[in-house]
Amino acid sequence: MKAVHSLLSIRHDAGHGPRDASSVTALGAANPALNHAIGHTSLASRRRFGGGLLALGAAGLAGPLLSGCAGADLSDFAGQKPTFDFRRYFDGRLMAHGMVLNRAGKVTRRMVVTMDCQWTDGPETTGVLDESFVYDDGERQHRVWRVRREANGRYTGTADDVVGTANGGSNGPAFNWRYALKVPVGDSIYELDFDDWMVLIDDETLLNKAVMSKLGVRVGEVLLSFRHVPRT
């Protein structure tokens, strides 16, 4: 999403790079270039969905809600309120604040994300989510998500640096989608897998956690907090 510039699985794309879990573990733990690249990518993962990372009021819930998302299932949220509606929430302008953490839990980057969302309703409901990222080192990044609501109520999304199609759905206050993202590391391109969770705290506050992995090995995560802001 968001993500958005949400906060960031690796398959090598050019015939080089790691081929087994041990190599991926070494990359995730010690490769500065990969850690830096992880700080560059997510819907959303390096999306800055938020209005004050784990803002007061949401902070007490953020730990229990997001710490379990990596092993969560959408059925865990059945019957809970408020109900998250992707089309309704990601409409208009949003701002997010967030950070990227490496495999060891160290914060490697901080960011602010602005997202402008527009939808077309008709025989098909489609949306354009235009994300702009500004990182703590001054770097800027841009991603445009093209999202469609499917007949079964699920959502699919594409972006230029997303491999194939993101696919996800919601239950209660939670939304989860998964996708692979192209991450440049030096002269190589890796594909990182994102397990991207969003949990609606109230009508305005959305917490986002995207876990990044390669060959099933966790290499980092992105945390974001979103809120709506007026267009200027």
Side-chain angles (χ1 to χ4, degrees), residues 67-157:
S67 63
C69 279
D73 187 273
L74 281 174
S75 62
D76 298 339
F77 297 90
Q80 297 183 28
K81 300 292 183 180
T83 300
F84 178 71
D85 183 325
F86 191 102
R87 159 69 177 84
R88 180 180 177 185
Y89 189 84
F90 286 107
D91 193 19
R93 172 165 289 186
L94 297 95
M95 181 172 284
H97 297 75
M99 57 187 179
V100 182
L101 296 85
N102 65 15
R103 180 172 173 270
K106 179 180 179 180
V107 176
T108 60
R109 305 197 86 188
R110 293 170 286 116
M111 75 279 274
V112 175
V113 181
T114 303
M115 181 184 293
D116 286 301
C117 311
Q118 296 183 340
W119 292 84
T120 300
D121 296 311
E124 290 187 345
T125 297
T126 59
V128 176
L129 281 55
D130 190 320
E131 296 179 304
S132 297
F133 303 80
V134 180
Y135 293 90
D136 57 325
D137 59 3
E139 181 180 353
R140 295 175 180 267
Q141 188 180 21
H142 182 242
R143 174 178 296 106
V144 177
W145 282 91
R146 294 167 289 276
V147 180
R148 183 173 68 179
R149 184 167 62 191
E150 304 295 339
N152 59 3
R154 294 178 64 83
Y155 284 83
T156 56

Side-chain angles (χ1 to χ4, degrees), residues 48 90 109 134 153 164 168 175 181 199 232:
R48 313 181 203 301
F90 286 107
R109 305 197 86 188
V134 180
F175 179 87
L181 193 67
V199 179
T232 56

Side-chain angles (χ1 to χ4, degrees), residues 8-19 24 27 34 37-38 41 46 160-165 179-185 188-194 211-217 219:
L8 306 212
S9 294
I10 302 176
R11 196 204 83 200
H12 199 267
D13 209 33
H16 305 84
R19 295 296 183 184
V24 174
L27 275 172
L34 179 57
I38 284 176
T41 323
R46 319 181 174 309
D160 289 346
D161 54 354
V162 171
V163 181
T165 302
Y179 49 91
L181 193 67
K182 296 178 182 178
V183 179
V185 180
S188 301
I189 299 293
Y190 293 89
E191 292 179 12
L192 292 178
D193 296 320
F194 283 77
V211 175
M212 302 170 282
S213 61
K214 173 62 179 179
L215 300 178
V217 178
V219 297

